[in-house]
Coordinates of all heavy atoms in Angstrom, one line a residue:
G975 N 0.7 -1.2 0.0 CA 0.0 0.0 0.0 C 0.8 1.3 0.0 O 0.4 2.2 0.6
T976 N 2.0 1.3 -0.7 CA 2.8 2.5 -0.7 C 2.7 3.2 -2.1 O 2.7 2.4 -3.1 CB 4.3 2.2 -0.5 OG1 4.4 1.6 0.8 CG2 5.1 3.5 -0.4
V977 N 2.6 4.4 -2.1 CA 2.5 5.2 -3.4 C 3.9 5.2 -4.0 O 4.8 5.6 -3.4 CB 1.9 6.6 -3.2 CG1 1.9 7.4 -4.5 CG2 0.5 6.5 -2.7
V978 N 4.0 4.8 -5.3 CA 5.3 4.8 -6.0 C 5.6 6.3 -6.5 O 4.7 6.9 -7.2 CB 5.3 3.9 -7.2 CG1 6.6 4.0 -8.0 CG2 5.2 2.4 -6.7
G979 N 6.7 6.8 -6.2 CA 7.1 8.1 -6.6 C 8.5 8.4 -6.2 O 9.2 7.6 -5.6
D980 N 9.0 9.6 -6.5 CA 10.3 10.0 -6.1 C 10.2 10.7 -4.8 O 9.6 11.8 -4.7 CB 10.9 10.9 -7.2 CG 12.3 11.4 -6.8 OD1 12.8 11.3 -5.7 OD2 13.0 11.9 -7.8
P981 N 10.7 10.1 -3.7 CA 10.6 10.7 -2.4 C 11.2 12.0 -2.2 O 10.9 12.8 -1.4 CB 11.2 9.7 -1.4 CG 12.0 8.8 -2.3 CD 11.4 8.8 -3.6
S982 N 12.2 12.4 -3.1 CA 12.8 13.7 -3.0 C 11.9 14.8 -3.6 O 12.0 16.0 -3.3 CB 14.1 13.7 -3.8 OG 13.9 13.6 -5.2
K983 N 10.8 14.4 -4.3 CA 9.9 15.3 -4.9 C 8.5 15.3 -4.2 O 7.8 16.3 -4.1 CB 9.7 15.0 -6.4 CG 10.9 15.2 -7.2 CD 10.6 14.8 -8.7 CE 11.9 14.9 -9.5 NZ 11.7 14.5 -10.9
T984 N 8.2 14.0 -3.7 CA 6.9 13.9 -3.0 C 7.0 13.0 -1.8 O 7.3 11.9 -1.9 CB 5.8 13.2 -4.0 OG1 5.8 13.9 -5.2 CG2 4.5 13.2 -3.3
S985 N 6.9 13.6 -0.6 CA 7.1 12.9 0.6 C 6.1 11.8 0.8 O 4.9 11.9 0.3 CB 7.1 13.9 1.8 OG 5.8 14.4 1.9
G986 N 6.4 10.7 1.4 CA 5.5 9.6 1.6 C 5.6 8.6 0.5 O 4.8 7.6 0.6
T987 N 6.3 8.9 -0.6 CA 6.5 7.9 -1.7 C 7.7 7.2 -1.6 O 8.6 7.5 -0.9 CB 6.2 8.6 -3.0 OG1 7.4 9.5 -3.2 CG2 4.9 9.4 -3.1
R988 N 7.8 6.2 -2.5 CA 9.1 5.4 -2.6 C 9.2 5.0 -4.0 O 8.2 4.7 -4.7 CB 9.2 4.3 -1.6 CG 8.4 3.1 -1.9 CD 8.8 1.9 -1.0 NE 8.1 0.7 -1.3 CZ 8.3 -0.1 -2.3 NH1 9.3 0.1 -3.2 NH2 7.6 -1.2 -2.5
G989 N 10.5 4.8 -4.4 CA 10.7 4.1 -5.8 C 10.3 2.7 -5.7 O 10.3 2.0 -4.7
A990 N 10.0 2.1 -6.9 CA 9.7 0.8 -7.1 C 11.1 0.0 -7.2 O 12.1 0.6 -7.6 CB 8.8 0.4 -8.3
S991 N 11.0 -1.3 -6.9 CA 12.2 -2.1 -7.2 C 11.8 -3.2 -8.2 O 10.6 -3.6 -8.3 CB 12.6 -2.8 -5.8 OG 13.0 -1.9 -4.9
P992 N 12.8 -3.7 -8.9 CA 12.4 -4.8 -9.8 C 11.7 -6.0 -9.1 O 12.1 -6.3 -7.9 CB 13.8 -5.3 -10.4 CG 14.6 -4.0 -10.3 CD 14.1 -3.3 -9.0
G993 N 10.7 -6.5 -9.7 CA 9.9 -7.5 -9.0 C 8.8 -7.1 -8.2 O 7.9 -7.9 -7.8
D994 N 8.7 -5.8 -7.9 CA 7.6 -5.2 -7.1 C 6.3 -5.3 -8.0 O 6.3 -5.2 -9.2 CB 7.8 -3.8 -6.8 CG 8.6 -3.5 -5.6 OD1 9.1 -4.5 -4.9 OD2 8.9 -2.4 -5.3
Y995 N 5.1 -5.5 -7.3 CA 3.8 -5.4 -7.9 C 3.4 -3.9 -7.8 O 3.5 -3.3 -6.8 CB 2.9 -6.3 -7.3 CG 3.0 -7.7 -7.6 CD1 4.1 -8.5 -7.2 CD2 2.0 -8.4 -8.3 CE1 4.3 -9.8 -7.5 CE2 2.1 -9.8 -8.5 CZ 3.3 -10.5 -8.2 OH 3.4 -11.8 -8.5
V996 N 2.9 -3.4 -8.9 CA 2.5 -2.0 -9.0 C 1.1 -2.0 -9.7 O 0.9 -2.6 -10.7 CB 3.5 -1.1 -9.8 CG1 2.9 0.3 -9.9 CG2 4.8 -1.0 -9.1
S997 N 0.2 -1.2 -9.1 CA -1.1 -1.0 -9.7 C -1.2 0.3 -10.4 O -0.8 1.4 -9.8 CB -2.2 -1.0 -8.6 OG -2.3 -2.3 -8.0
L998 N -1.5 0.3 -11.7 CA -1.7 1.5 -12.5 C -3.2 1.7 -12.7 O -4.0 0.8 -12.8 CB -1.1 1.3 -13.8 CG 0.4 0.8 -13.8 CD1 0.9 0.5 -15.2 CD2 1.3 2.0 -13.3
Y999 N -3.7 2.9 -12.8 CA -5.1 3.3 -12.9 C -5.2 4.2 -14.2 O -4.3 5.1 -14.4 CB -5.7 3.9 -11.7 CG -5.7 3.0 -10.5 CD1 -4.7 2.9 -9.6 CD2 -6.8 2.2 -10.3 CE1 -4.6 2.0 -8.6 CE2 -6.9 1.3 -9.3 CZ -5.8 1.2 -8.3 OH -5.8 0.3 -7.3
G1000 N -6.3 4.0 -14.9 CA -6.5 4.9 -16.0 C -8.0 4.7 -16.5 O -8.7 3.9 -16.0
T1001 N -8.2 5.6 -17.5 CA -9.6 5.6 -18.1 C -9.4 5.4 -19.6 O -8.3 5.6 -20.1 CB -10.3 6.9 -17.8 OG1 -9.5 8.0 -18.4 CG2 -10.5 7.1 -16.3
G1002 N -10.6 5.1 -20.2 CA -10.6 5.0 -21.7 C -10.1 3.7 -22.3 O -9.9 3.7 -23.5
F1003 N -10.1 2.6 -21.5 CA -9.6 1.4 -22.1 C -10.8 0.5 -22.6 O -10.6 -0.6 -23.1 CB -8.9 0.6 -21.0 CG -7.5 1.2 -20.7 CD1 -7.3 1.8 -19.5 CD2 -6.5 1.1 -21.6 CE1 -6.1 2.4 -19.2 CE2 -5.2 1.7 -21.2 CZ -5.1 2.3 -20.0
G1004 N -12.0 1.0 -22.5 CA -13.1 0.3 -22.9 C -14.4 0.9 -22.4 O -14.4 1.9 -21.7
A1005 N -15.5 0.3 -22.8 CA -16.8 0.7 -22.3 C -17.0 0.5 -20.9 O -16.5 -0.5 -20.3 CB -17.9 0.0 -23.2
S1006 N -17.8 1.4 -20.3 CA -18.1 1.3 -18.9 C -19.7 1.4 -18.7 O -20.2 2.3 -19.4 CB -17.5 2.3 -18.1 OG -17.8 2.4 -16.8
P1007 N -20.3 0.5 -17.9 CA -21.7 0.7 -17.8 C -22.1 2.1 -17.3 O -21.6 2.5 -16.2 CB -22.2 -0.4 -16.9 CG -20.9 -0.8 -16.2 CD -19.7 -0.4 -17.1
S1008 N -23.0 2.8 -18.0 CA -23.4 4.1 -17.6 C -24.4 4.0 -16.4 O -25.4 3.3 -16.5 CB -24.1 4.8 -18.8 OG -24.6 6.1 -18.4
G1009 N -24.1 4.7 -15.3 CA -25.0 4.8 -14.2 C -25.1 3.5 -13.4 O -25.9 3.4 -12.5
G1010 N -24.3 2.5 -13.7 CA -24.4 1.2 -13.0 C -23.3 1.1 -12.0 O -22.3 1.7 -12.0
V1011 N -23.6 0.2 -11.1 CA -22.6 -0.1 -10.0 C -21.9 -1.3 -10.5 O -22.4 -2.3 -11.0 CB -23.4 -0.5 -8.7 CG1 -22.4 -1.0 -7.7 CG2 -24.2 0.7 -8.2
I1012 N -20.5 -1.2 -10.3 CA -19.6 -2.3 -10.7 C -19.6 -3.3 -9.5 O -19.0 -3.0 -8.4 CB -18.2 -1.8 -11.0 CG1 -18.3 -0.7 -12.0 CG2 -17.3 -2.9 -11.5 CD1 -18.9 -1.1 -13.3
N1013 N -20.2 -4.4 -9.6 CA -20.3 -5.4 -8.4 C -19.1 -6.3 -8.4 O -18.7 -6.8 -7.4 CB -21.6 -6.3 -8.5 CG -22.8 -5.4 -8.3 OD1 -22.8 -4.5 -7.5 ND2 -23.8 -5.7 -9.1
S1014 N -18.5 -6.5 -9.5 CA -17.2 -7.3 -9.6 C -16.4 -6.8 -10.8 O -16.9 -6.3 -11.7 CB -17.6 -8.9 -9.8 OG -18.3 -9.0 -11.0
P1015 N -15.1 -6.9 -10.6 CA -14.2 -6.5 -11.7 C -14.5 -7.2 -13.0 O -14.9 -8.4 -13.1 CB -12.8 -6.9 -11.2 CG -13.0 -7.1 -9.7 CD -14.3 -7.5 -9.5
T1016 N -14.3 -6.5 -14.1 CA -14.4 -7.0 -15.5 C -13.1 -6.9 -16.1 O -12.5 -5.9 -16.4 CB -15.5 -6.1 -16.2 OG1 -16.7 -6.0 -15.5 CG2 -15.7 -6.7 -17.6
A1017 N -12.6 -8.1 -16.4 CA -11.2 -8.2 -16.9 C -11.1 -7.7 -18.3 O -12.0 -7.8 -19.2 CB -10.7 -9.6 -16.9
L1018 N -9.9 -7.0 -18.6 CA -9.5 -6.6 -20.0 C -8.7 -7.7 -20.6 O -8.0 -8.4 -19.8 CB -8.6 -5.4 -19.9 CG -9.2 -4.0 -19.5 CD1 -8.1 -3.0 -19.4 CD2 -10.3 -3.6 -20.5
S1019 N -8.8 -7.9 -21.9 CA -8.0 -9.0 -22.4 C -6.8 -8.5 -23.1 O -6.8 -7.6 -23.9 CB -8.8 -9.9 -23.4 OG -9.4 -9.0 -24.4
N1020 N -5.7 -9.0 -22.8 CA -4.4 -8.8 -23.4 C -3.8 -7.4 -23.5 O -3.3 -7.0 -24.5 CB -4.4 -9.4 -24.8 CG -4.8 -10.9 -24.8 OD1 -4.3 -11.6 -23.9 ND2 -5.6 -11.3 -25.7
P1021 N -3.8 -6.6 -22.4 CA -3.1 -5.3 -22.5 C -1.6 -5.6 -22.5 O -1.2 -6.6 -22.0 CB -3.6 -4.6 -21.2 CG -3.8 -5.7 -20.3 CD -4.4 -6.9 -21.1
V1022 N -0.9 -4.7 -23.1 CA 0.6 -4.8 -23.2 C 1.1 -3.6 -22.5 O 0.8 -2.4 -22.7 CB 1.1 -4.8 -24.6 CG1 2.6 -4.8 -24.7 CG2 0.5 -6.0 -25.4
V1023 N 2.0 -3.9 -21.4 CA 2.6 -2.8 -20.7 C 4.1 -2.9 -20.7 O 4.6 -4.0 -20.5 CB 2.1 -2.8 -19.2 CG1 2.8 -1.7 -18.4 CG2 0.6 -2.7 -19.1
S1024 N 4.8 -1.8 -21.0 CA 6.2 -1.8 -20.9 C 6.7 -0.7 -20.0 O 6.0 0.4 -19.8 CB 6.8 -1.7 -22.3 OG 6.6 -0.4 -22.8
V1025 N 7.8 -0.9 -19.3 CA 8.4 0.0 -18.4 C 9.8 0.2 -19.0 O 10.6 -0.7 -19.0 CB 8.5 -0.4 -16.9 CG1 9.2 0.6 -16.1 CG2 7.0 -0.7 -16.4
G1026 N 10.2 1.5 -19.4 CA 11.5 1.7 -20.0 C 11.7 0.8 -21.2 O 12.9 0.5 -21.5
G1027 N 10.7 0.5 -21.9 CA 10.9 -0.3 -23.2 C 10.9 -1.8 -22.9 O 11.0 -2.6 -23.8
Q1028 N 10.9 -2.2 -21.6 CA 10.9 -3.6 -21.3 C 9.5 -4.1 -20.9 O 8.8 -3.4 -20.2 CB 11.9 -3.9 -20.2 CG 13.4 -3.8 -20.5 CD 14.2 -4.4 -19.4 OE1 13.8 -5.3 -18.7 NE2 15.5 -3.9 -19.3
A1029 N 9.2 -5.2 -21.4 CA 7.8 -5.8 -21.1 C 7.7 -6.0 -19.6 O 8.5 -6.5 -19.0 CB 7.6 -7.1 -21.9
A1030 N 6.5 -5.6 -19.1 CA 6.1 -5.9 -17.7 C 5.1 -7.0 -17.7 O 4.2 -7.0 -18.6 CB 5.6 -4.6 -17.1
T1031 N 5.2 -7.9 -16.8 CA 4.2 -8.9 -16.7 C 2.9 -8.3 -16.1 O 2.9 -7.6 -15.1 CB 4.7 -10.0 -15.7 OG1 5.9 -10.6 -16.2 CG2 3.7 -11.1 -15.5
V1032 N 1.8 -8.5 -16.9 CA 0.5 -8.1 -16.4 C -0.1 -9.1 -15.6 O -0.4 -10.3 -16.1 CB -0.4 -7.6 -17.6 CG1 -1.8 -7.3 -17.1 CG2 0.3 -6.5 -18.4
K1033 N -0.4 -8.9 -14.3 CA -1.1 -9.9 -13.4 C -2.5 -9.8 -13.5 O -3.3 -10.7 -13.2 CB -0.5 -9.7 -12.0 CG 0.9 -10.1 -11.9 CD 1.0 -11.6 -12.2 CE 2.4 -12.1 -11.8 NZ 2.5 -13.6 -11.9
Y1034 N -3.1 -8.5 -13.7 CA -4.5 -8.3 -13.8 C -4.7 -7.0 -14.5 O -4.0 -6.0 -14.3 CB -5.2 -8.2 -12.3 CG -6.6 -7.7 -12.5 CD1 -7.6 -8.6 -12.8 CD2 -6.9 -6.4 -12.3 CE1 -8.9 -8.2 -12.9 CE2 -8.2 -6.0 -12.4 CZ -9.2 -6.9 -12.8 OH -10.6 -6.5 -12.9
A1035 N -5.8 -7.0 -15.3 CA -6.2 -5.7 -15.9 C -7.7 -5.8 -16.1 O -8.3 -6.7 -16.6 CB -5.6 -5.6 -17.3
G1036 N -8.4 -4.7 -15.6 CA -9.9 -4.7 -15.7 C -10.5 -3.5 -15.2 O -9.9 -2.7 -14.5
L1037 N -11.8 -3.4 -15.5 CA -12.6 -2.3 -15.0 C -13.0 -2.6 -13.5 O -13.4 -3.7 -13.1 CB -14.0 -2.4 -15.8 CG -15.0 -1.3 -15.5 CD1 -14.5 0.1 -15.9 CD2 -16.3 -1.6 -16.2
V1038 N -12.7 -1.6 -12.6 CA -12.9 -1.8 -11.2 C -13.9 -0.8 -10.6 O -14.3 -0.9 -9.5 CB -11.5 -1.7 -10.4 CG1 -10.7 -2.9 -10.8 CG2 -10.8 -0.4 -10.7
G1039 N -14.3 0.2 -11.5 CA -15.3 1.2 -11.0 C -15.8 1.9 -12.3 O -15.3 1.6 -13.4
A1040 N -16.8 2.6 -12.2 CA -17.4 3.3 -13.4 C -16.3 4.1 -14.1 O -15.9 5.1 -13.6 CB -18.6 4.1 -13.0
G1041 N -15.9 3.6 -15.2 CA -14.9 4.3 -16.0 C -13.5 4.1 -15.6 O -12.5 4.7 -16.2
L1042 N -13.2 3.4 -14.5 CA -11.9 3.3 -14.0 C -11.3 1.9 -14.1 O -11.9 0.9 -13.7 CB -11.9 3.7 -12.4 CG -10.5 3.6 -11.7 CD1 -9.6 4.6 -12.3 CD2 -10.7 3.8 -10.2
F1043 N -10.1 1.8 -14.8 CA -9.5 0.6 -15.0 C -8.3 0.5 -14.2 O -7.6 1.5 -13.9 CB -9.1 0.5 -16.5 CG -10.3 0.4 -17.4 CD1 -11.0 1.5 -17.8 CD2 -10.8 -0.9 -17.8 CE1 -12.1 1.4 -18.7 CE2 -11.8 -1.0 -18.7 CZ -12.5 0.1 -19.1
Q1044 N -7.9 -0.7 -13.7 CA -6.7 -1.0 -12.9 C -6.0 -2.1 -13.7 O -6.5 -3.1 -14.2 CB -7.2 -1.6 -11.6 CG -6.0 -2.0 -10.7 CD -6.5 -2.5 -9.4 OE1 -7.5 -2.2 -8.9 NE2 -5.6 -3.3 -8.7
I1045 N -4.6 -1.8 -13.8 CA -3.7 -2.8 -14.4 C -2.6 -3.0 -13.4 O -1.9 -2.1 -13.0 CB -3.1 -2.2 -15.7 CG1 -4.2 -1.9 -16.7 CG2 -2.2 -3.3 -16.3 CD1 -3.7 -1.3 -18.0
N1046 N -2.5 -4.3 -12.9 CA -1.4 -4.7 -12.0 C -0.3 -5.3 -12.7 O -0.5 -6.2 -13.5 CB -2.0 -5.7 -10.9 CG -3.1 -5.1 -10.1 OD1 -3.3 -3.9 -10.0 ND2 -3.9 -6.0 -9.5
I1047 N 0.9 -4.7 -12.5 CA 2.1 -5.3 -13.2 C 3.2 -5.7 -12.3 O 3.2 -5.3 -11.1 CB 2.7 -4.2 -14.2 CG1 3.2 -3.0 -13.5 CG2 1.7 -3.9 -15.2 CD1 4.1 -2.1 -14.3
V1048 N 4.1 -6.5 -12.8 CA 5.4 -6.7 -12.1 C 6.5 -5.9 -12.7 O 6.6 -6.0 -13.9 CB 5.7 -8.3 -12.1 CG1 7.0 -8.5 -11.4 CG2 4.6 -9.1 -11.5
V1049 N 7.2 -5.1 -11.9 CA 8.2 -4.2 -12.4 C 9.4 -5.1 -13.0 O 9.9 -5.9 -12.3 CB 8.7 -3.3 -11.3 CG1 9.9 -2.4 -11.9 CG2 7.6 -2.4 -10.8
P1050 N 9.7 -4.8 -14.3 CA 10.8 -5.6 -14.9 C 12.2 -5.2 -14.3 O 12.3 -4.2 -13.5 CB 10.8 -5.2 -16.4 CG 10.0 -4.0 -16.4 CD 9.1 -3.9 -15.2
D1051 N 13.1 -6.0 -14.5 CA 14.5 -5.9 -14.0 C 15.2 -4.7 -14.7 O 15.6 -4.9 -15.8 CB 15.3 -7.2 -14.1 CG 16.6 -7.1 -13.4 OD1 16.8 -6.3 -12.5 OD2 17.5 -8.0 -13.7
L1052 N 15.2 -3.5 -14.0 CA 15.9 -2.3 -14.6 C 16.8 -1.7 -13.6 O 16.5 -1.8 -12.4 CB 14.7 -1.3 -15.0 CG 13.8 -1.7 -16.1 CD1 12.6 -0.8 -16.1 CD2 14.5 -1.6 -17.5
P1053 N 17.8 -1.0 -14.1 CA 18.7 -0.3 -13.1 C 18.0 0.9 -12.6 O 17.0 1.3 -13.0 CB 19.9 0.0 -14.0 CG 19.4 0.0 -15.4 CD 18.3 -1.0 -15.4
V1054 N 18.7 1.5 -11.6 CA 18.1 2.7 -10.9 C 17.9 3.8 -12.0 O 18.7 4.0 -12.9 CB 19.1 3.3 -9.9 CG1 18.7 4.6 -9.4 CG2 19.1 2.3 -8.7
G1055 N 16.7 4.5 -11.9 CA 16.4 5.5 -12.9 C 14.9 5.7 -12.9 O 14.1 5.0 -12.2
D1056 N 14.5 6.7 -13.7 CA 13.0 7.0 -13.9 C 12.7 6.5 -15.4 O 13.3 6.8 -16.3 CB 12.7 8.5 -13.8 CG 12.9 9.0 -12.4 OD1 12.7 8.1 -11.4 OD2 13.1 10.2 -12.2
Y1057 N 11.6 5.7 -15.4 CA 11.3 5.0 -16.7 C 9.8 5.3 -17.1 O 8.9 5.2 -16.3 CB 11.5 3.5 -16.6 CG 13.0 3.2 -16.4 CD1 13.5 3.0 -15.0 CD2 13.8 3.0 -17.4 CE1 14.8 2.6 -14.9 CE2 15.2 2.7 -17.2 CZ 15.6 2.5 -16.0 OH 17.0 2.3 -15.8
P1058 N 9.7 5.6 -18.4 CA 8.3 5.8 -18.8 C 7.5 4.5 -18.9 O 8.1 3.4 -19.2 CB 8.5 6.4 -20.2 CG 9.8 5.9 -20.7 CD 10.6 5.8 -19.4
V1059 N 6.2 4.6 -18.7 CA 5.3 3.4 -18.8 C 4.5 3.6 -20.0 O 3.9 4.6 -20.3 CB 4.4 3.3 -17.5 CG1 3.4 2.2 -17.7 CG2 5.2 3.2 -16.2
A1060 N 4.5 2.5 -20.8 CA 3.6 2.6 -22.1 C 2.6 1.5 -21.9 O 2.9 0.3 -21.6 CB 4.4 2.4 -23.3
I1061 N 1.3 1.8 -22.2 CA 0.2 0.9 -22.1 C -0.4 0.8 -23.5 O -0.8 1.9 -24.1 CB -0.8 1.3 -21.1 CG1 -0.1 1.4 -19.7 CG2 -2.0 0.3 -21.1 CD1 -1.0 2.0 -18.6
Q1062 N -0.6 -0.4 -24.0 CA -1.3 -0.6 -25.3 C -2.4 -1.5 -25.1 O -2.3 -2.6 -24.3 CB -0.3 -1.2 -26.4 CG 0.8 -0.2 -26.8 CD 1.7 -0.9 -27.8 OE1 1.8 -2.1 -27.9 NE2 2.4 -0.1 -28.5
F1063 N -3.5 -1.2 -25.7 CA -4.7 -2.1 -25.5 C -5.6 -2.0 -26.8 O -5.8 -0.9 -27.3 CB -5.6 -1.7 -24.3 CG -6.8 -2.5 -24.2 CD1 -6.6 -3.8 -23.8 CD2 -8.0 -2.0 -24.3 CE1 -7.8 -4.6 -23.6 CE2 -9.1 -2.8 -24.2 CZ -9.0 -4.1 -23.8
Q1064 N -5.9 -3.2 -27.4 CA -6.6 -3.2 -28.6 C -6.1 -2.3 -29.7 O -6.9 -1.6 -30.4 CB -8.1 -2.9 -28.4 CG -8.8 -4.0 -27.5 CD -10.3 -3.7 -27.2 OE1 -10.7 -2.7 -27.5 NE2 -10.9 -4.8 -26.8
G1065 N -4.8 -2.3 -29.9 CA -4.1 -1.5 -30.9 C -3.9 -0.1 -30.7 O -3.3 0.6 -31.4
A1066 N -4.4 0.4 -29.5 CA -4.2 1.8 -29.2 C -3.2 2.0 -28.1 O -3.2 1.1 -27.2 CB -5.6 2.4 -28.7
T1067 N -2.5 3.0 -28.2 CA -1.5 3.3 -27.1 C -2.0 4.5 -26.3 O -2.5 5.5 -26.8 CB -0.1 3.7 -27.7 OG1 0.3 2.6 -28.5 CG2 0.9 4.0 -26.7
A1068 N -1.8 4.4 -24.9 CA -2.2 5.5 -24.0 C -1.6 6.8 -24.5 O -0.4 6.8 -24.9 CB -1.9 5.1 -22.6
T1069 N -2.3 7.9 -24.4 CA -1.8 9.2 -24.8 C -0.9 9.9 -23.8 O -0.1 10.8 -24.2 CB -2.9 10.1 -25.1 OG1 -3.8 10.3 -24.0 CG2 -3.8 9.5 -26.3
T1070 N -0.9 9.4 -22.6 CA 0.0 9.9 -21.5 C 1.0 8.9 -21.2 O 0.7 7.7 -21.3 CB -0.7 10.5 -20.3 OG1 -1.4 9.4 -19.8 CG2 -1.6 11.6 -20.7
S1071 N 2.2 9.3 -20.7 CA 3.2 8.3 -20.4 C 3.7 8.7 -19.0 O 4.7 9.4 -18.9 CB 4.3 8.3 -21.4 OG 5.3 7.3 -21.1
P1072 N 3.1 8.1 -17.9 CA 3.6 8.3 -16.6 C 5.0 7.7 -16.5 O 5.4 6.8 -17.3 CB 2.6 7.7 -15.7 CG 2.0 6.6 -16.5 CD 2.0 7.1 -18.0
S1073 N 5.7 8.0 -15.4 CA 7.0 7.3 -15.2 C 7.0 6.6 -13.9 O 6.3 7.0 -12.9 CB 8.2 8.3 -15.4 OG 8.1 9.2 -14.3
I1074 N 7.8 5.6 -13.7 CA 8.0 4.8 -12.5 C 9.5 5.0 -12.1 O 10.3 4.6 -12.9 CB 7.7 3.4 -12.7 CG1 6.2 3.1 -12.9 CG2 8.1 2.6 -11.4 CD1 5.8 1.7 -13.0
P1075 N 9.8 5.5 -10.9 CA 11.2 5.6 -10.5 C 11.6 4.2 -9.9 O 10.9 3.7 -9.1 CB 11.1 6.7 -9.4 CG 9.7 6.7 -8.8 CD 8.9 6.2 -10.0
I1076 N 12.7 3.7 -10.4 CA 13.2 2.5 -9.9 C 14.4 2.8 -9.0 O 15.4 3.6 -9.4 CB 13.8 1.6 -11.1 CG1 12.6 1.4 -12.1 CG2 14.3 0.3 -10.6 CD1 11.4 0.6 -11.7
R1077 N 14.4 2.3 -7.8 CA 15.4 2.6 -6.8 C 16.1 1.4 -6.3 O 15.6 0.4 -6.1 CB 14.8 3.4 -5.7 CG 14.2 4.7 -6.1 CD 15.2 5.7 -6.6 NE 14.5 6.9 -7.1 CZ 14.6 7.4 -8.3 NH1 15.2 6.7 -9.3 NH2 14.1 8.5 -8.6

């Protein structure tokens, strides 16, 4: 339950380590029931996630709330640094590229 970030920029955060599980959240990966309650997660099929150009293992990806998707990944083996995250789903690439600090 720790927020991943650069602790020198945002107190209370920490960098990720290779092998850590990280949850990413985003919108726009698919349809969401309008005005409905999400009673159970709805899985996405075959999203592709890379960190610093290296494939990350996707452990779960799905709709977890109205319009909100969660993608759980395992951080690949990378040296210390800040790495962009790229998410592709159904042929489309996310328009923003957050970064994960590896420490």
Side-chain angles (χ1 to χ4, degrees):
T976 301
V977 176
V978 173
D980 183 341
S982 69
K983 295 178 184 175
T984 307
S985 65
T987 63
R988 73 166 182 83
S991 296
D994 281 355
Y995 284 66
V996 174
S997 295
L998 307 170
Y999 293 90
T1001 60
F1003 292 106
S1006 176
S1008 177
V1011 174
I1012 307 301
N1013 293 322
S1014 61
T1016 304
L1018 292 175
S1019 58
N1020 304 318
V1022 176
V1023 179
S1024 65
V1025 179
Q1028 288 193 28
T1031 301
V1032 176
K1033 290 296 190 175
Y1034 171 79
L1037 181 68
V1038 294
L1042 181 63
F1043 292 84
Q1044 177 179 338
I1045 302 174
N1046 298 339
I1047 65 166
V1048 178
V1049 176
D1051 190 16
L1052 294 164
V1054 171
D1056 291 333
Y1057 295 95
V1059 176
I1061 301 171
Q1062 295 178 337
F1063 179 68
Q1064 294 183 342
T1067 301
T1069 57
T1070 59
S1071 182
S1073 64
I1074 293 180
I1076 306 293
R1077 303 292 178 242

